[in-house]
Amino acid sequence: MQPAARPRLFYVHIAAVTVAGLGLLGWLLVHGSVATWRSHPVALASLAALLIVSEQRPLVAILRGERSSITLSAIFACALLLRWQVVVAVSVQAAASVIEDRLSRRSWWKGCFNVGQYTLALGAAGAVYHSLMPSGPGPHLDGRGILGALAAGMAFFLVNSLLTATAVALAEGVRLSDLLASDLAVHASLNAMMAGLAPVVLAVVDESLWLVPLLLLPAVAVYHGGRMSLEKEHRSRHDALTELPNRLSFGEDVSTAIRGAARHGHNVAVMMMDIDGFKELNDTLGHSSGDALLRQIGSRLGPPLAGIGTLARLGGDEFGILFPRVVDRDEALSAARLLLEHLEEPFELDGLALDVRASAGISVFPDHGEAVDQLVQHADVAMYLAKRRRSGCEVYDPDRNEHSRRRLTLLNELRPAISARSLVLYYQPKVDMRTGRICALEALLRWPHPVLGMIPPGEFIGMAEYTGLIRPLTEYVLDEACEQLARWHRDGIAIPVAVNISARVMHDSSFPERVRRRLQRHELPAELLVLELTESAIMADPEASLQVMQELADMGIRLSIDDFGTGYSSLGYLSRLPVAEVKIDRSFVTHVDTQDNNRVIVESTIELARNLGLEVAAEGVETIPVWQTLARLGCTTAQGYLIARPEPEELVTGMLKRGAAGIPLVEEFAVSFGVNRSAVQTIG
């Protein structure tokens, strides 16, 4: 994507202001009185010197991504205007502007434009002042004169702002009224103070030139006041860590781009991006390294975006990118992928070369929304999809709109739901295939949403992993499971309960101690708690996992490998793990009675587990033939809808009490599913 060419009207405006301003300056020099230059020469020289020096010390701010500056020269320009003819103020200001432009190495046309706009602004100020003070030049320090000075200062500010804002509006394709409103909000009070100081400057000069150094005191006060005002404005619109625009500024920029696109008929693209695995990096290397990475990302992406887009940090590791002019979604996608390529070169953090990958999503105005919030949300949905698919970048697809709205709702409400403890545990029984009795339960999380109804974990566990909420969510499940175990234990029911543990929690060295404290608080035997881990979670960091698992096993907690057969663990490594059980994944169990490959895998797993002294559980048992095949192969434990669905605590408590009374669970599901009694005998 190439930087957008400036429209022809921009250059017309620049030329018109330059010609008009330089023409006025020439006319004033030709028709101005020479005598006015000879009046009060020392005072004139002093004020001219102060004006030129102050022009070289601007207050700089970054507004709308552009460098904006305010100088104190307006104080001395207005003072020259009040004492001498307009030509004096205009000439000195023009000289100061030329000197500053040369020192800043601005292009010649920008320098000419600056001289032109200053001349026109001071000319307007002089016209206002002398129309109010018909007695001509000279100090008018009465009430009328001070009001005239204030009016002249505001005229200078308004004309100068109008000429500059028009140039920016034409260059960026935004509304002039928006820019003027921004300038008035930031600069109006400061310029009013400077205009009000001009009569004070004249009073000091009239009293004694020796008092001129005292002019520095109010000037410095205004300077520092202006600097604090600009810094406050800057802080409110920029991220403190990276100095990039923040969410507020980004939203305003997107809004401005949308209005410009609606008028001129082009498209706008919004891109949301975050860093894959950023939380793990923070946890491993520390927050200072994470902060350093964020700063480097900002500085690396800034240059390729110059002239074509705006980069903002929205919070955490989330960045927003605005492309104010794109032809279509394909151009936006190409620009986004080129931007992501700039992150592929390793980042250096504390002597380490760190590879970083990011996921991004794109939405395009007007196809994917006409409001800022819509575009940002839809880009966020696309980013989530890119993260899930590991594709790097995706464009929002309106066909998934209903799903997207639901996901956004869940994403926004998950953290409050955890804090309010509004998620609940259901328990699914596991039965001993030799006796048909319940031998354990698995705790499964459910979210009874007040609007969307009961939400299964598959819809929000992935979000929890993505947002970093998986840790508090796992801690929440452990708390709830231990409290329920304690209630059953007090009622004389000793039944193990299994809880699924994520990889992030499993690699936390402090996790075993937190589990120990829970067991002690609830006075629970450790063998009643079973922790289920996936192969992929273990193999993500085998050594850290082994250490944590060993500590848990030493406490007496039983460990189980969930979804066995779908990961990448070697048999040699499996023999080192202090686990008590493996659970065969449902993908192998479901068709074990009809597919030879699945039967071979299940039989081999059962044989392997038996040789290692482990129990074997089969999950996803939903038909009688599957149960019978598993029983023949020597499987010891079964879990699935054929036996029982996950149920709330009160229903499971009834099952447990009937089991304690000697009623096998197979009797219950035989009646529930209409299985005949002869089949029950075969199963039991």
Side-chain angles (χ1 to χ4, degrees):
M1 180 186 297
Q2 297 297 322
R6 292 189 175 103
R8 181 178 301 175
L9 281 178
F10 169 79
Y11 294 104
V12 171
H13 173 73
I14 295 296
V17 171
T18 301
V19 171
L22 294 181
L24 177 60
L25 176 60
W27 187 89
L28 290 171
L29 289 173
V30 171
H31 294 86
S33 172
V34 177
T36 192
W37 291 93
R38 298 171 180 169
S39 173
H40 302 84
V42 177
L44 174 57
S46 299
L47 292 178
L50 287 170
L51 189 156
I52 292 172
V53 170
S54 62
E55 186 74 17
Q56 317 311 313
R57 300 288 297 174
L59 297 168
V60 178
I62 305 298
L63 300 176
R64 301 178 301 274
E66 297 289 336
R67 183 180 183 272
S68 176
S69 63
I70 301 175
T71 70
L72 299 182
S73 61
I75 298 175
F76 308 108
C78 287
L80 291 171
L81 192 68
L82 301 182
R83 166 71 74 176
W84 292 271
Q85 291 182 358
V86 176
V87 65
V88 174
V90 167
S91 300
V92 175
Q93 180 64 69
S97 178
V98 169
I99 293 172
E100 202 277 327
D101 287 333
R102 294 300 296 168
L103 292 176
S104 300
R105 298 182 178 180
R106 292 193 181 95
S107 59
W108 66 269
W109 63 269
K110 287 184 179 179
C112 292
F113 174 79
N114 287 338
V115 172
Q117 71 170 359
Y118 276 132
T119 300
L120 294 175
L122 280 172
V128 169
Y129 181 72
H130 292 300
S131 67
L132 296 174
M133 310 302 296
S135 57
H140 300 278
L141 301 180
D142 55 6
R144 186 178 179 184
I146 292 175
L147 289 176
L150 290 174
M154 292 312 296
F156 171 79
F157 165 62
L158 290 174
V159 173
N160 194 50
S161 296
L162 177 62
L163 297 176
T164 305
T166 300
V168 175
L170 290 173
E172 298 183 358
V174 298
R175 287 198 302 190
L176 176 61
S177 58
D178 293 337
L179 300 183
L180 287 176
S182 176
D183 279 341
L184 287 172
V186 177
H187 301 323
S189 60
L190 182 58
N191 279 271
M193 285 191 293
M194 289 193 290
L197 278 175
V200 177
V201 170
L202 282 182
V204 171
V205 170
D206 284 342
E207 181 66 27
S208 172
L209 289 177
W210 292 104
L211 295 177
V212 170
L214 293 179
L215 293 175
L216 297 177
L217 296 179
V220 168
V222 172
Y223 185 90
H224 282 288
R227 185 173 66 182
M228 286 188 291
S229 176
L230 290 177
E231 286 178 351
K232 182 179 179 180
E233 171 70 12
H234 183 84
R235 286 196 301 271
S236 71
R237 298 171 57 85
H238 287 77
D239 170 57
L241 176 65
T242 62
E243 285 298 310
L244 294 171
N246 60 13
R247 186 177 292 273
L248 170 65
S249 181
F250 184 70
E252 292 175 353
D253 289 344
V254 174
S255 180
T256 300
I258 289 173
R259 287 195 294 269
R263 287 199 307 275
H264 300 291
H266 58 260
N267 296 326
V268 173
V270 172
M271 172 178 166
M272 302 293 285
M273 180 189 79
D274 78 358
I275 310 305
D276 298 338
F278 182 76
K279 182 171 179 57
E280 286 79 3
L281 181 146
N282 256 345
D283 293 342
T284 304
L285 301 181
H287 289 281
S288 60
S289 294
D291 290 347
L293 174 62
L294 294 175
R295 285 192 292 268
Q296 288 189 40
I297 288 173
S299 60
R300 182 176 291 188
L301 295 184
L305 274 171
I308 64 170
T310 301
L311 175 68
R313 183 191 176 209
L314 308 185
D317 63 320
E318 187 177 39
F319 292 85
I321 296 97
L322 167 66
F323 297 110
R325 291 172 180 267
V326 295
V327 175
D328 52 27
R329 55 184 287 168
D330 291 335
E331 184 185 25
L333 185 59
S334 297
R337 286 174 174 165
L338 287 174
L339 202 61
L340 292 178
E341 288 179 5
H342 283 83
L343 299 179
E344 292 181 358
E345 183 180 347
F347 289 82
E348 185 172 340
L349 295 176
D350 298 327
L352 297 175
L354 185 68
D355 288 324
V356 170
R357 293 292 180 270
S359 297
I362 296 172
S363 62
V364 178
F365 168 88
D367 296 344
H368 303 149
E370 298 183 356
V372 175
D373 290 345
Q374 281 182 312
L375 292 174
V376 170
Q377 286 184 348
H378 291 165
D380 185 64
V381 169
M383 179 181 71
Y384 180 79
L385 179 63
K387 188 174 290 289
R388 192 172 63 191
R389 291 181 174 178
R390 301 182 183 275
S391 59
C393 188
E394 294 284 343
V395 178
Y396 175 73
D397 183 358
D399 292 339
R400 291 192 298 268
N401 194 45
E402 289 304 317
H403 167 73
S404 301
R405 289 179 183 173
R406 180 181 176 94
R407 194 195 71 82
L408 285 172
T409 298
L410 299 181
L411 189 62
N412 291 330
E413 297 180 8
L414 180 56
R415 187 185 298 273
I418 296 173
S419 300
R421 306 189 74 80
S422 57
L423 285 77
V424 298
L425 289 186
Y426 276 37
Y427 298 88
Q428 185 174 28
K430 296 164 60 177
V431 299
D432 187 326
M433 297 186 70
R434 294 157 295 191
T435 65
R437 299 185 185 279
I438 298 175
C439 59
L441 302 169
E442 181 178 1
L444 299 169
L445 197 58
R446 297 290 186 270
W447 183 358
H449 194 279
V451 176
L452 301 176
M454 189 64 72
I455 301 173
E459 282 199 60
F460 61 87
I461 293 298
M463 294 181 196
E465 292 278 4
Y466 160 61
T467 59
L469 289 175
I470 194 64
R471 290 176 184 267
L473 192 63
T474 301
E475 300 287 339
Y476 175 84
V477 173
L478 275 172
D479 284 337
E480 293 292 305
C482 286
E483 289 178 9
Q484 183 58 58
L485 269 172
R487 286 193 291 270
W488 281 329
H489 195 242
R490 287 193 296 269
D491 291 342
I493 301 174
I495 184 77
V497 171
V499 174
N500 293 281
I501 304 299
S502 76
R504 294 190 180 187
V505 175
M506 198 60 216
H507 301 152
D508 183 356
S509 60
S510 65
F511 177 62
E513 181 56 33
R514 295 200 300 276
V515 174
R516 185 194 308 275
R517 288 198 297 267
R518 281 188 177 87
L519 295 176
Q520 292 174 345
R521 183 167 66 249
H522 294 289
E523 299 180 349
L524 284 174
E527 60 269 15
L528 292 183
L529 182 61
V530 180
L531 300 181
E532 294 190 359
L533 321 155
T534 64
E535 284 184 272
S536 56
I538 296 171
M539 298 310 296
D541 190 345
E543 295 305 319
S545 298
L546 180 59
Q547 180 178 350
V548 170
M549 292 173 69
Q550 191 62 59
E551 290 186 46
L552 293 169
D554 290 344
M555 292 163 51
I557 293 172
R558 298 179 71 245
L559 302 177
S560 173
I561 299 181
D562 197 12
D563 301 335
F564 186 79
T566 61
Y568 307 97
S569 58
S570 67
L571 299 182
Y573 192 81
L574 178 63
S575 65
R576 298 172 54 194
L577 299 178
V579 297
E581 177 189 68
V582 293
K583 294 181 69 176
I584 306 174
D585 186 70
R586 65 175 59 249
S587 61
F588 303 117
V589 171
T590 303
H591 301 293
V592 69
D593 59 319
T594 59
Q595 295 184 1
D596 292 339
N597 288 341
N598 282 7
R599 185 164 55 252
V600 170
I601 291 173
V602 170
E603 185 174 12
S604 300
T605 301
I606 293 173
E607 184 67 21
L608 170 65
R610 182 182 295 116
N611 292 336
L612 293 175
L614 307 177
E615 295 182 11
V616 181
E619 54 185 358
V621 179
E622 298 181 358
T623 66
I624 294 294
V626 166
W627 173 291
Q628 293 171 330
T629 302
L630 290 171
R632 285 196 301 270
L633 294 176
C635 188
T636 55
T637 310
Q639 178 182 355
Y641 284 2
L642 177 66
I643 302 159
R645 293 174 177 267
E647 300 287 359
E649 169 267 330
E650 57 270 17
L651 293 181
V652 174
T653 299
M655 291 183 189
L656 296 175
K657 288 181 177 179
R658 288 191 294 275
I663 304 174
L665 185 63
V666 289
E667 295 273 5
E668 294 193 10
F669 77 71
V671 174
S672 300
F673 286 84
V675 180
N676 61 48
R677 182 160 294 278
S678 61
V680 173
Q681 298 300 324
T682 303
I683 297 169

